């Protein structure tokens, strides 16, 4: 199987602690491009993961259009906002029946 070259949109804590390490551990994936709206974070994470400057984006549409990201369908991982996970959190924190 060919290696999928993926992009990561949003380089916050979940991305750095879960998504990108998972990509790095996978024999089937390679991190090809990154995107974040914070230029300082984009530079720091791009340097950390060895992403060339021409594959660091502040607009996710540019990442999707990047020819270094696998095609025919562009593979993009995005992190969810914290409120997207609220339904899981509420179930886990419900009091247990005695």
């Amino acid at each position: 199987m060919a290696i999928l070259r993926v992009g990561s949109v949003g380089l916050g804590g979940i991305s750095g602690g879960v998504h990108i390490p998972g990509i790095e551990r996978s024999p089937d994936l390679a991190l090809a491009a990154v995107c974040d709206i914070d230029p300082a974070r984009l530079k720091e994470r791009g340097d950390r993961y060895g992403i060339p400057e021409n594959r660091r984006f502040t607009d996710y549409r540019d990442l999707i259009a990047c020819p270094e990201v696998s095609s025919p369908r562009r593979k993009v991982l995005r992190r969810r906002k914290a409120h997207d996970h609220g339904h899981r959190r509420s179930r886990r924190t419900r009091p247990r029946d005695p």
Side-chain angles (χ1 to χ4, degrees):
M1 179 196 302
I3 293 177
L4 290 176
R5 297 179 56 77
V6 298
S8 183
V9 177
L11 300 174
I14 300 287
S15 177
V18 177
H19 296 156
I20 293 176
I23 292 167
E24 291 177 328
R25 284 191 305 271
S26 174
D28 301 321
L29 301 174
L31 186 62
V34 291
C35 177
D36 199 278
I37 61 172
D38 180 346
R41 182 181 299 161
L42 184 61
K43 178 177 177 6
E44 187 271 322
R45 297 290 167 89
D47 290 347
R48 180 187 304 177
Y49 300 118
I51 304 298
E53 289 191 25
N54 66 330
R55 289 191 262 142
R56 301 176 189 184
F57 305 101
T58 55
D59 187 325
Y60 74 94
R61 292 169 289 208
D62 294 331
L63 184 146
I64 292 169
C66 177
E68 295 297 322
V69 175
S70 291
S71 58
R73 290 185 297 157
R74 301 291 183 210
K75 306 296 181 191
V76 178
L77 301 178
R78 86 171 175 88
R79 74 178 175 95
R80 292 180 170 200
K81 298 290 184 191
H83 67 273
D84 291 343
H85 298 289
H87 67 284
R88 291 185 195 139
R89 190 170 43 246
S90 64
R91 265 190 258 146
R92 277 185 287 193
T93 57
R94 249 187 292 166
R96 295 182 183 191
D97 293 328

Coordinates of all heavy atoms in Angstrom, one line a residue:
M1 N 0.8 -1.2 0.0 CA 0.0 0.0 0.0 C 0.9 1.2 0.0 O 1.9 1.3 0.7 CB -0.9 0.0 1.2 CG -1.8 1.2 1.3 SD -2.5 1.7 2.9 CE -3.5 0.3 3.2
A2 N 0.5 2.2 -0.7 CA 1.2 3.5 -0.8 C 1.0 4.3 0.5 O 0.0 4.2 1.1 CB 0.7 4.3 -2.0
I3 N 2.0 5.1 0.8 CA 1.9 5.9 2.0 C 1.0 7.1 1.7 O 1.2 7.8 0.7 CB 3.3 6.4 2.5 CG1 4.1 5.2 3.0 CG2 3.2 7.4 3.5 CD1 5.5 5.4 3.4
L4 N 0.0 7.4 2.6 CA -0.8 8.6 2.4 C -0.1 9.8 3.1 O 0.3 9.7 4.2 CB -2.2 8.4 3.1 CG -3.1 7.4 2.5 CD1 -4.4 7.2 3.4 CD2 -3.5 7.8 1.1
R5 N 0.0 10.8 2.3 CA 0.7 12.0 2.8 C -0.5 13.0 3.2 O -1.2 13.4 2.4 CB 1.5 12.6 1.7 CG 2.7 11.7 1.3 CD 3.6 12.2 0.2 NE 4.1 13.5 0.5 CZ 5.1 13.8 1.3 NH1 5.7 12.8 1.9 NH2 5.6 15.0 1.5
V6 N -0.6 13.2 4.5 CA -1.7 13.9 5.1 C -1.3 15.3 5.6 O -0.2 15.6 5.8 CB -2.4 13.1 6.2 CG1 -2.9 11.8 5.7 CG2 -1.4 12.9 7.4
G7 N -2.4 16.1 5.7 CA -2.2 17.4 6.3 C -2.9 17.5 7.6 O -4.0 16.8 7.8
S8 N -2.5 18.3 8.5 CA -3.2 18.5 9.8 C -3.6 20.0 9.9 O -2.8 20.9 9.8 CB -2.3 18.1 11.0 OG -2.9 18.3 12.2
V9 N -4.9 20.2 10.1 CA -5.4 21.5 10.3 C -5.7 21.8 11.8 O -6.5 21.0 12.4 CB -6.7 21.7 9.5 CG1 -7.3 23.1 9.7 CG2 -6.5 21.4 8.0
G10 N -5.1 22.8 12.3 CA -5.3 23.1 13.7 C -4.2 22.4 14.5 O -4.1 21.2 14.6
L11 N -3.2 23.2 15.0 CA -2.0 22.6 15.6 C -2.0 22.8 17.1 O -0.9 22.9 17.7 CB -0.8 23.2 15.0 CG -0.7 22.9 13.5 CD1 0.5 23.7 12.9 CD2 -0.6 21.5 13.2
G12 N -3.1 22.8 17.8 CA -3.2 23.0 19.2 C -2.8 21.7 20.0 O -2.1 20.8 19.4
G13 N -3.1 21.7 21.3 CA -2.7 20.6 22.1 C -3.0 19.2 21.7 O -2.2 18.3 21.8
I14 N -4.3 19.0 21.2 CA -4.7 17.7 20.8 C -3.9 17.2 19.6 O -3.5 16.1 19.5 CB -6.2 17.7 20.5 CG1 -7.0 18.1 21.7 CG2 -6.6 16.3 19.9 CD1 -7.1 17.1 22.8
S15 N -3.7 18.1 18.7 CA -2.9 17.8 17.5 C -1.5 17.4 17.8 O -1.0 16.3 17.4 CB -2.9 19.0 16.5 OG -2.1 18.7 15.4
G16 N -0.8 18.2 18.7 CA 0.5 17.9 19.1 C 0.7 16.7 20.0 O 1.7 16.0 20.0
G17 N -0.4 16.4 20.8 CA -0.3 15.3 21.7 C -0.9 14.0 21.2 O -0.5 12.9 21.7
V18 N -1.8 14.0 20.2 CA -2.5 12.8 19.8 C -2.3 12.6 18.3 O -1.8 11.6 17.8 CB -4.0 12.9 20.2 CG1 -4.7 11.7 19.7 CG2 -4.1 13.0 21.7
H19 N -2.8 13.6 17.5 CA -2.9 13.4 16.0 C -1.6 13.2 15.4 O -1.3 12.2 14.7 CB -3.7 14.5 15.4 CG -5.1 14.6 15.8 ND1 -5.8 15.8 15.8 CD2 -6.0 13.7 16.3 CE1 -7.0 15.6 16.2 NE2 -7.1 14.3 16.6
I20 N -0.7 14.2 15.5 CA 0.6 14.1 14.8 C 1.5 12.9 15.3 O 2.0 12.2 14.5 CB 1.3 15.4 14.8 CG1 0.5 16.4 14.0 CG2 2.7 15.3 14.3 CD1 1.0 17.8 14.0
P21 N 1.5 12.7 16.7 CA 2.3 11.5 17.1 C 1.7 10.2 16.5 O 2.4 9.3 16.1 CB 2.1 11.5 18.6 CG 2.0 13.0 18.9 CD 1.1 13.5 17.8
G22 N 0.4 10.1 16.3 CA -0.2 9.0 15.7 C 0.2 8.8 14.3 O 0.4 7.7 13.8
I23 N 0.2 9.9 13.6 CA 0.7 9.9 12.2 C 2.1 9.5 12.1 O 2.4 8.6 11.2 CB 0.5 11.3 11.5 CG1 -1.0 11.7 11.4 CG2 1.2 11.4 10.2 CD1 -1.2 13.2 11.1
E24 N 2.9 10.0 13.0 CA 4.3 9.6 13.0 C 4.6 8.1 13.3 O 5.5 7.5 12.8 CB 5.1 10.4 14.0 CG 5.2 11.9 13.5 CD 6.0 12.8 14.5 OE1 5.8 12.5 15.7 OE2 6.6 13.7 14.1
R25 N 3.7 7.5 14.1 CA 3.8 6.1 14.4 C 3.3 5.2 13.3 O 3.6 4.0 13.3 CB 3.1 5.8 15.7 CG 3.8 6.2 17.0 CD 3.2 5.7 18.2 NE 1.8 6.0 18.4 CZ 1.3 7.1 19.0 NH1 2.1 8.0 19.5 NH2 0.0 7.2 19.1
S26 N 2.4 5.7 12.5 CA 1.8 4.8 11.5 C 2.7 4.6 10.3 O 3.3 5.5 9.7 CB 0.5 5.5 10.9 OG 0.0 4.8 9.9
P27 N 2.9 3.3 9.9 CA 3.7 3.0 8.7 C 3.0 3.4 7.4 O 3.6 3.5 6.4 CB 3.9 1.5 8.8 CG 2.7 1.0 9.5 CD 2.3 2.1 10.5
D28 N 1.7 3.7 7.5 CA 0.9 4.1 6.3 C 0.7 5.6 6.1 O 0.1 5.9 5.1 CB -0.4 3.4 6.3 CG -0.3 1.9 6.5 OD1 0.6 1.3 5.8 OD2 -1.1 1.3 7.2
L29 N 1.2 6.4 7.0 CA 0.9 7.8 6.9 C 2.2 8.6 7.0 O 3.2 8.2 7.7 CB 0.0 8.3 8.0 CG -1.4 7.7 8.1 CD1 -2.1 8.1 9.4 CD2 -2.2 8.0 6.9
A30 N 2.2 9.8 6.4 CA 3.3 10.7 6.5 C 2.7 12.1 6.6 O 1.8 12.5 5.8 CB 4.3 10.7 5.3
L31 N 3.2 12.9 7.5 CA 2.7 14.3 7.6 C 3.4 15.2 6.6 O 4.6 15.3 6.5 CB 3.1 14.9 9.0 CG 2.5 16.3 9.3 CD1 1.0 16.3 9.3 CD2 3.1 16.7 10.7
A32 N 2.6 15.7 5.6 CA 3.1 16.4 4.5 C 2.9 17.9 4.6 O 3.7 18.7 4.0 CB 2.4 15.9 3.2
A33 N 1.9 18.3 5.4 CA 1.6 19.8 5.4 C 0.8 20.1 6.7 O 0.2 19.2 7.3 CB 0.8 20.2 4.2
V34 N 1.0 21.3 7.2 CA 0.3 21.7 8.4 C -0.4 23.1 8.2 O 0.0 23.8 7.3 CB 1.2 21.8 9.6 CG1 1.7 20.4 10.0 CG2 2.4 22.7 9.4
C35 N -1.4 23.3 9.0 CA -2.2 24.6 8.9 C -2.6 25.0 10.3 O -3.1 24.2 11.1 CB -3.4 24.3 8.0 SG -4.5 25.7 7.9
D36 N -2.5 26.3 10.6 CA -3.0 26.9 11.8 C -3.1 28.4 11.6 O -2.4 29.0 10.8 CB -2.0 26.7 13.0 CG -2.7 26.8 14.3 OD1 -2.8 28.0 14.8 OD2 -3.1 25.8 14.9
I37 N -4.1 29.0 12.2 CA -4.3 30.5 12.1 C -3.3 31.3 12.9 O -3.1 32.5 12.6 CB -5.7 30.9 12.4 CG1 -6.1 30.6 13.9 CG2 -6.7 30.2 11.5 CD1 -7.4 31.1 14.3
D38 N -2.6 30.7 13.8 CA -1.6 31.4 14.6 C -0.2 31.2 14.0 O 0.4 30.1 14.0 CB -1.6 30.8 16.0 CG -0.6 31.4 16.9 OD1 0.3 32.2 16.5 OD2 -0.7 31.2 18.2
P39 N 0.4 32.3 13.4 CA 1.6 32.2 12.7 C 2.8 31.7 13.6 O 3.6 30.9 13.1 CB 1.9 33.6 12.2 CG 0.6 34.2 12.1 CD -0.2 33.6 13.2
A40 N 2.8 32.1 14.8 CA 3.9 31.6 15.7 C 3.8 30.1 16.0 O 4.8 29.4 16.0 CB 3.8 32.4 17.1
R41 N 2.6 29.6 16.2 CA 2.4 28.2 16.4 C 2.7 27.4 15.1 O 3.3 26.4 15.2 CB 1.0 27.9 16.9 CG 0.7 26.4 17.1 CD -0.7 26.1 17.5 NE -1.0 26.8 18.7 CZ -2.2 27.0 19.2 NH1 -3.3 26.5 18.5 NH2 -2.5 27.6 20.3
L42 N 2.3 28.0 14.0 CA 2.6 27.3 12.7 C 4.1 27.2 12.5 O 4.6 26.1 12.1 CB 1.9 28.2 11.6 CG 2.1 27.6 10.2 CD1 1.4 26.3 10.1 CD2 1.4 28.6 9.2
K43 N 4.8 28.2 12.8 CA 6.3 28.2 12.7 C 6.9 27.2 13.6 O 7.7 26.3 13.2 CB 6.9 29.5 12.9 CG 8.4 29.5 12.8 CD 9.1 30.8 12.9 CE 10.6 30.8 12.8 NZ 11.3 29.6 12.6
E44 N 6.5 27.2 14.9 CA 7.1 26.3 15.9 C 6.8 24.9 15.6 O 7.7 24.0 15.6 CB 6.5 26.7 17.3 CG 7.1 25.9 18.4 CD 6.5 24.6 18.7 OE1 5.2 24.5 18.7 OE2 7.2 23.7 19.1
R45 N 5.5 24.5 15.2 CA 5.2 23.1 14.9 C 5.8 22.7 13.6 O 6.2 21.6 13.4 CB 3.7 22.9 14.9 CG 3.0 23.2 16.3 CD 3.4 22.1 17.3 NE 3.1 22.5 18.6 CZ 1.9 22.3 19.2 NH1 0.9 21.6 18.6 NH2 1.7 22.6 20.5
G46 N 5.8 23.6 12.6 CA 6.4 23.3 11.3 C 7.9 22.9 11.5 O 8.4 22.0 10.9
D47 N 8.6 23.7 12.3 CA 10.0 23.5 12.6 C 10.2 22.1 13.3 O 11.0 21.3 13.0 CB 10.6 24.6 13.4 CG 10.8 25.9 12.7 OD1 10.7 25.9 11.4 OD2 11.1 26.9 13.3
R48 N 9.3 21.9 14.3 CA 9.4 20.7 15.1 C 9.2 19.4 14.3 O 9.9 18.4 14.5 CB 8.3 20.7 16.2 CG 8.4 19.4 17.1 CD 7.2 19.3 18.1 NE 7.1 20.5 18.9 CZ 6.2 20.6 19.8 NH1 5.2 19.7 20.0 NH2 6.1 21.7 20.6
Y49 N 8.3 19.5 13.3 CA 8.0 18.3 12.6 C 8.7 18.3 11.2 O 8.4 17.4 10.4 CB 6.4 18.1 12.4 CG 5.7 18.0 13.7 CD1 4.8 19.0 14.1 CD2 6.0 17.0 14.6 CE1 4.2 18.9 15.3 CE2 5.4 16.9 15.8 CZ 4.5 17.8 16.2 OH 3.9 17.7 17.4
G50 N 9.5 19.2 10.9 CA 10.3 19.2 9.7 C 9.5 19.5 8.4 O 9.8 19.0 7.4
I51 N 8.5 20.3 8.6 CA 7.6 20.6 7.4 C 8.2 21.9 6.7 O 8.4 22.9 7.4 CB 6.2 20.9 7.9 CG1 5.6 19.8 8.6 CG2 5.3 21.3 6.7 CD1 5.5 18.5 7.9
P52 N 8.5 21.8 5.4 CA 9.1 22.9 4.7 C 8.1 24.1 4.8 O 6.9 23.9 4.8 CB 9.3 22.4 3.3 CG 9.2 21.0 3.4 CD 8.4 20.6 4.6
E53 N 8.6 25.3 4.7 CA 7.8 26.5 4.8 C 6.8 26.6 3.7 O 5.7 27.1 3.9 CB 8.7 27.8 4.8 CG 9.4 27.9 6.2 CD 10.1 29.2 6.3 OE1 9.6 30.2 5.7 OE2 11.1 29.3 7.1
N54 N 7.0 26.0 2.5 CA 6.1 26.1 1.5 C 4.9 25.1 1.7 O 3.9 25.1 0.9 CB 6.7 25.8 0.1 CG 7.2 24.4 0.0 OD1 7.6 23.8 0.9 ND2 7.2 23.9 -1.2
R55 N 4.9 24.4 2.8 CA 3.8 23.5 3.1 C 3.2 23.8 4.5 O 2.7 22.9 5.2 CB 4.2 22.0 3.0 CG 4.5 21.6 1.6 CD 4.6 20.1 1.5 NE 6.1 19.8 1.4 CZ 6.6 18.8 1.9 NH1 5.9 17.9 2.6 NH2 7.9 18.6 1.8
R56 N 3.4 25.0 4.9 CA 2.8 25.6 6.1 C 1.7 26.6 5.7 O 2.1 27.6 5.1 CB 3.8 26.2 7.0 CG 4.9 25.2 7.4 CD 6.0 26.0 8.2 NE 7.2 25.1 8.4 CZ 8.2 25.5 9.2 NH1 8.2 26.7 9.8 NH2 9.3 24.7 9.3
F57 N 0.5 26.4 6.2 CA -0.6 27.3 5.7 C -1.4 27.9 6.8 O -1.5 27.3 7.9 CB -1.5 26.5 4.8 CG -0.8 25.8 3.6 CD1 -0.5 24.5 3.7 CD2 -0.4 26.5 2.5 CE1 0.2 23.8 2.6 CE2 0.3 25.9 1.5 CZ 0.6 24.6 1.5
T58 N -1.9 29.1 6.6 CA -2.8 29.7 7.6 C -4.3 29.5 7.1 O -5.2 29.8 7.8 CB -2.5 31.2 7.8 OG1 -2.5 31.8 6.5 CG2 -1.2 31.3 8.5
D59 N -4.5 29.1 5.9 CA -5.8 28.8 5.3 C -5.9 27.4 4.9 O -5.1 26.9 4.1 CB -6.0 29.7 4.1 CG -7.4 29.7 3.5 OD1 -8.0 28.6 3.5 OD2 -7.9 30.7 3.0
Y60 N -6.9 26.7 5.5 CA -7.0 25.2 5.2 C -7.2 24.9 3.7 O -6.8 23.9 3.2 CB -8.2 24.6 6.0 CG -9.5 25.0 5.5 CD1 -10.2 24.2 4.6 CD2 -10.1 26.2 5.9 CE1 -11.5 24.5 4.1 CE2 -11.4 26.5 5.4 CZ -12.0 25.7 4.6 OH -13.3 26.0 4.1
R61 N -7.8 25.9 3.0 CA -8.0 25.6 1.5 C -6.7 25.5 0.8 O -6.6 24.7 -0.2 CB -8.9 26.7 1.0 CG -10.3 26.6 1.5 CD -11.1 27.8 1.2 NE -10.6 29.0 1.9 CZ -11.3 30.0 2.3 NH1 -12.6 30.1 1.9 NH2 -10.8 31.0 3.0
D62 N -5.7 26.2 1.2 CA -4.4 26.1 0.6 C -3.7 24.8 0.9 O -3.1 24.2 0.1 CB -3.5 27.2 1.1 CG -3.9 28.6 0.6 OD1 -4.6 28.7 -0.4 OD2 -3.7 29.6 1.3
L63 N -4.0 24.3 2.1 CA -3.5 22.9 2.5 C -4.1 21.9 1.6 O -3.5 21.0 1.1 CB -3.7 22.6 4.0 CG -3.1 21.3 4.5 CD1 -2.7 21.4 5.9 CD2 -4.2 20.2 4.4
I64 N -5.4 22.0 1.4 CA -6.1 21.0 0.6 C -5.7 21.0 -0.8 O -5.5 20.0 -1.5 CB -7.7 21.2 0.7 CG1 -8.2 20.9 2.1 CG2 -8.4 20.4 -0.3 CD1 -9.6 21.4 2.4
A65 N -5.3 22.2 -1.3 CA -4.8 22.3 -2.7 C -3.4 21.9 -2.9 O -2.9 21.8 -4.0 CB -5.0 23.8 -3.2
C66 N -2.7 21.7 -1.8 CA -1.2 21.4 -1.8 C -1.0 20.1 -2.6 O -1.6 19.1 -2.2 CB -0.7 21.4 -0.4 SG 1.1 20.9 -0.3
P67 N -0.2 20.1 -3.6 CA 0.1 18.8 -4.3 C 0.8 17.8 -3.5 O 0.8 16.6 -3.9 CB 0.9 19.3 -5.6 CG 1.4 20.6 -5.2 CD 0.5 21.2 -4.2
E68 N 1.5 18.2 -2.4 CA 2.2 17.2 -1.6 C 1.3 16.4 -0.7 O 1.7 15.4 -0.1 CB 3.2 17.9 -0.8 CG 4.3 18.6 -1.6 CD 5.2 17.6 -2.3 OE1 5.4 16.5 -1.8 OE2 5.5 17.9 -3.5
V69 N 0.0 16.8 -0.6 CA -1.0 16.1 0.2 C -1.6 15.1 -0.8 O -1.9 15.4 -1.9 CB -2.1 17.0 0.8 CG1 -3.2 16.2 1.5 CG2 -1.4 18.0 1.8
S70 N -1.7 13.8 -0.3 CA -2.2 12.7 -1.2 C -3.5 13.0 -1.9 O -4.4 13.7 -1.4 CB -2.4 11.4 -0.4 OG -1.1 10.9 0.1
S71 N -3.6 12.6 -3.1 CA -4.8 12.7 -3.9 C -5.1 11.3 -4.5 O -4.3 10.4 -4.3 CB -4.5 13.7 -5.1 OG -3.5 13.3 -5.9
P72 N -6.2 11.0 -5.0 CA -7.1 12.0 -5.7 C -8.0 12.7 -4.7 O -8.4 13.9 -4.9 CB -8.0 11.1 -6.6 CG -8.0 9.8 -5.9 CD -6.7 9.6 -5.3
R73 N -8.3 12.2 -3.5 CA -9.0 12.9 -2.5 C -8.0 13.4 -1.5 O -7.3 12.6 -1.0 CB -10.1 12.1 -1.9 CG -11.2 11.7 -2.8 CD -12.3 11.0 -2.1 NE -11.8 9.7 -1.6 CZ -12.3 9.0 -0.6 NH1 -13.3 9.4 0.0 NH2 -11.8 7.8 -0.3
R74 N -8.0 14.7 -1.3 CA -7.1 15.3 -0.3 C -7.4 14.7 1.1 O -8.5 14.7 1.5 CB -7.1 16.8 -0.3 CG -6.9 17.4 -1.6 CD -5.4 17.2 -2.0 NE -5.2 17.9 -3.3 CZ -4.3 17.5 -4.1 NH1 -3.6 16.5 -3.9 NH2 -4.1 18.2 -5.3
K75 N -6.3 14.2 1.8 CA -6.5 13.7 3.1 C -6.1 14.8 4.1 O -5.0 15.2 4.2 CB -5.6 12.5 3.3 CG -5.7 11.4 2.2 CD -7.1 10.8 2.3 CE -7.3 9.7 1.2 NZ -8.6 9.3 1.0
V76 N -7.1 15.2 4.9 CA -6.9 16.2 5.8 C -7.4 15.8 7.2 O -8.5 15.3 7.3 CB -7.6 17.6 5.4 CG1 -7.4 18.6 6.5 CG2 -7.1 18.0 4.1
L77 N -6.6 15.9 8.2 CA -7.1 15.6 9.6 C -7.4 16.9 10.2 O -6.5 17.9 10.2 CB -6.0 14.9 10.4 CG -5.5 13.6 9.8 CD1 -4.4 13.0 10.7 CD2 -6.6 12.6 9.7
R78 N -8.5 17.0 10.9 CA -8.8 18.3 11.6 C -9.1 17.9 13.0 O -9.7 16.9 13.3 CB -9.9 19.0 10.9 CG -11.3 18.6 11.4 CD -12.4 19.5 10.8 NE -13.6 19.0 11.2 CZ -14.2 19.2 12.4 NH1 -13.7 20.1 13.2 NH2 -15.4 18.7 12.6
R79 N -8.7 18.8 13.9 CA -9.1 18.6 15.3 C -10.4 19.2 15.5 O -10.8 20.2 14.9 CB -8.0 19.1 16.2 CG -8.0 20.6 16.3 CD -7.0 21.1 17.3 NE -6.9 22.5 17.3 CZ -7.6 23.3 18.2 NH1 -8.3 22.7 19.1 NH2 -7.5 24.6 18.1
R80 N -11.2 18.6 16.5 CA -12.5 19.1 16.8 C -12.3 20.2 17.9 O -11.4 20.1 18.7 CB -13.4 18.0 17.3 CG -13.7 17.0 16.3 CD -14.6 15.9 16.9 NE -15.1 15.1 15.8 CZ -16.2 14.4 15.9 NH1 -16.8 14.3 17.1 NH2 -16.6 13.7 14.9
K81 N -13.3 21.1 17.9 CA -13.3 22.0 19.0 C -13.7 21.3 20.3 O -14.4 20.3 20.2 CB -14.3 23.2 18.7 CG -13.9 23.9 17.5 CD -12.7 24.8 17.7 CE -12.4 25.6 16.5 NZ -11.1 26.3 16.6
A82 N -13.4 21.8 21.4 CA -13.7 21.2 22.7 C -15.2 21.0 22.9 O -15.6 19.9 23.4 CB -13.1 22.0 23.8
H83 N -16.0 21.9 22.4 CA -17.5 21.7 22.6 C -18.0 20.5 21.8 O -19.0 20.0 22.1 CB -18.2 23.0 22.3 CG -18.2 23.4 20.9 ND1 -17.2 24.2 20.4 CD2 -19.0 23.1 19.9 CE1 -17.4 24.4 19.1 NE2 -18.5 23.8 18.7
D84 N -17.3 20.1 20.7 CA -17.7 18.9 20.0 C -17.7 17.6 20.8 O -18.3 16.7 20.5 CB -16.9 18.7 18.7 CG -17.1 19.8 17.7 OD1 -18.1 20.5 17.8 OD2 -16.3 20.0 16.8
H85 N -16.8 17.6 21.8 CA -16.6 16.4 22.6 C -17.5 16.4 23.9 O -17.5 15.5 24.7 CB -15.2 16.3 23.1 CG -14.2 16.2 21.9 ND1 -14.2 15.1 21.1 CD2 -13.4 17.1 21.4 CE1 -13.2 15.3 20.2 NE2 -12.8 16.5 20.3
G86 N -18.4 17.4 24.0 CA -19.1 17.6 25.3 C -20.1 16.4 25.6 O -20.3 16.0 26.7
H87 N -20.7 15.8 24.5 CA -21.6 14.7 24.8 C -20.9 13.5 25.4 O -21.4 12.9 26.3 CB -22.3 14.3 23.5 CG -21.4 13.7 22.5 ND1 -20.5 14.5 21.7 CD2 -21.2 12.4 22.1 CE1 -19.8 13.7 21.0 NE2 -20.2 12.4 21.2
R88 N -19.7 13.3 25.1 CA -18.9 12.2 25.7 C -18.6 12.5 27.1 O -18.7 11.7 28.0 CB -17.6 11.9 24.9 CG -17.9 11.3 23.5 CD -16.6 11.0 22.9 NE -16.9 10.8 21.4 CZ -16.1 11.2 20.5 NH1 -15.0 11.9 20.8 NH2 -16.4 11.0 19.2
R89 N -18.1 13.7 27.3 CA -17.7 14.1 28.7 C -18.9 14.0 29.6 O -18.8 13.5 30.7 CB -17.2 15.5 28.6 CG -16.5 16.0 29.9 CD -15.8 17.3 29.7 NE -16.5 18.3 29.0 CZ -16.1 18.8 27.8 NH1 -15.0 18.3 27.2 NH2 -16.8 19.7 27.2
S90 N -20.1 14.4 29.2 CA -21.2 14.4 30.1 C -21.7 13.0 30.5 O -22.1 12.8 31.6 CB -22.4 15.2 29.5 OG -22.9 14.5 28.3
R91 N -21.5 12.1 29.6 CA -21.9 10.7 29.9 C -20.9 10.1 30.9 O -21.3 9.3 31.8 CB -21.9 9.8 28.6 CG -23.2 9.7 28.0 CD -23.2 8.7 26.9 NE -23.2 9.4 25.7 CZ -22.6 9.0 24.6 NH1 -22.0 7.9 24.6 NH2 -22.6 9.8 23.5
R92 N -19.7 10.4 30.8 CA -18.7 9.8 31.7 C -18.8 10.4 33.1 O -18.4 9.8 34.1 CB -17.3 10.1 31.2 CG -16.9 9.0 30.2 CD -15.5 9.3 29.8 NE -15.5 10.5 29.0 CZ -14.5 10.9 28.2 NH1 -13.4 10.3 28.2 NH2 -14.6 12.0 27.5
T93 N -19.2 11.7 33.2 CA -19.3 12.3 34.5 C -20.6 12.2 35.2 O -20.8 12.7 36.3 CB -18.9 13.8 34.4 OG1 -19.9 14.4 33.5 CG2 -17.5 14.0 33.9
R94 N -21.6 11.5 34.6 CA -22.8 11.2 35.3 C -22.6 10.4 36.5 O -21.8 9.4 36.5 CB -23.8 10.5 34.3 CG -24.9 11.4 33.9 CD -25.9 10.6 33.1 NE -25.2 10.2 31.8 CZ -25.7 9.2 31.0 NH1 -26.7 8.5 31.3 NH2 -25.0 9.0 29.9
P95 N -23.4 10.7 37.6 CA -23.2 9.8 38.8 C -23.7 8.4 38.5 O -24.6 8.2 37.7 CB -24.2 10.5 39.8 CG -24.5 11.8 39.3 CD -24.3 11.8 37.8
R96 N -23.0 7.4 39.1 CA -23.4 6.0 38.9 C -24.5 5.7 39.8 O -24.7 6.2 40.9 CB -22.2 5.1 39.2 CG -21.0 5.4 38.2 CD -19.9 4.4 38.5 NE -18.8 4.7 37.6 CZ -17.8 4.0 37.5 NH1 -17.7 2.9 38.2 NH2 -16.8 4.3 36.6
D97 N -25.3 4.7 39.4 CA -26.4 4.2 40.2 C -25.8 3.4 41.4 O -24.8 2.7 41.2 CB -27.3 3.3 39.4 CG -28.1 4.1 38.4 OD1 -28.4 5.2 38.6 OD2 -28.4 3.5 37.3
P98 N -26.4 3.5 42.6 CA -25.8 2.8 43.7 C -25.9 1.3 43.6 O -26.6 0.7 42.9 CB -26.6 3.3 44.9 CG -27.7 4.2 44.4 CD -27.5 4.4 43.0

